Amino acid sequence: LIKAVERLSGKPFGSLFVISDDPRIASDKAAHDILSGAGANAPVVFVSEASNDKDAANLMLQGGHVALPHEVLKKMNRNLLLDILWAADQASYVVGNGRSGVSQAIAQLLGARFKMDPNFLGLWEDDTTTLECLQETRDIAWLVEP
């Protein structure tokens, strides 16, 4: 979707801000895959609270959020809220998962900031209609669950 946004807007990304609670997203391979998939030369800023704590990262991979101690989860949630607010203040649009409350919150805050319908400011990787309409993603649209 990032390539499509750059093509349609005629502007390359100035930067990419990636929010994920999956500790694997902060790996060099993930950064390479995102940049090569985007075709962007933009710097990537990763946020992955679990990746800062190896014990928490292992717990997350084995059992998800429910496996984390209450204090760790509380800290992650507090940091996530700050990340959402920062992203909505800095971003022009969001490329994310439409089922994600994080992506939806950023889109809603962007809509308020720009005084626009938030649906105009987000592309969702799980939206088959969008994927089928974009030349960059048409071939993979069938992978998304209807």
Side-chain angles (χ1 to χ4, degrees):
L1 285 176
I2 293 171
K3 282 183 182 178
V5 171
E6 289 183 326
R7 177 180 58 83
L8 293 169
S9 69
K11 293 170 53 176
F13 277 85
S15 63
L16 302 171
F17 182 63
V18 180
I19 299 176
S20 177
D21 59 3
D22 186 331
R24 296 170 292 195
I25 197 73
S27 71
D28 290 339
K29 181 184 179 335
H32 176 270
D33 290 349
I34 289 170
L35 284 175
S36 63
N41 291 319
V44 177
V45 177
F46 284 100
V47 172
S48 180
E49 183 63 31
S51 68
N52 297 329
D53 179 340
K54 288 190 187 289
D55 292 334
N58 288 332
L59 287 171
M60 283 278 292
L61 290 173
Q62 293 172 12
H65 291 101
V66 295
L68 294 173
H70 177 71
E71 287 304 312
V72 172
L73 189 58
K74 195 163 103 176
K75 180 181 175 192
M76 283 179 62
N77 288 337
R78 187 173 40 248
N79 288 337
L80 178 59
L81 178 58
L82 293 173
D83 294 335
I84 290 168
L85 294 172
W86 184 87
D89 184 57
Q90 301 296 314
S92 300
Y93 41 84
V94 61
V95 177
N97 186 313
R99 291 178 272 191
S100 165
V102 172
S103 297
Q104 291 292 332
I106 293 170
Q108 290 293 324
L109 290 167
L110 287 173
R113 187 172 122 219
F114 293 117
K115 297 178 176 55
M116 293 179 67
D117 184 330
N119 294 306
F120 290 121
L121 300 168
L123 282 175
W124 312 116
E125 63 187 21
D126 55 342
D127 181 351
T128 53
T129 304
T130 298
L131 296 178
E132 288 170 354
C133 291
L134 299 170
Q135 67 187 31
E136 292 85 353
T137 57
R138 193 172 296 128
D139 294 336
I140 63 162
W142 65 273
L143 292 171
V144 178
E145 296 175 22

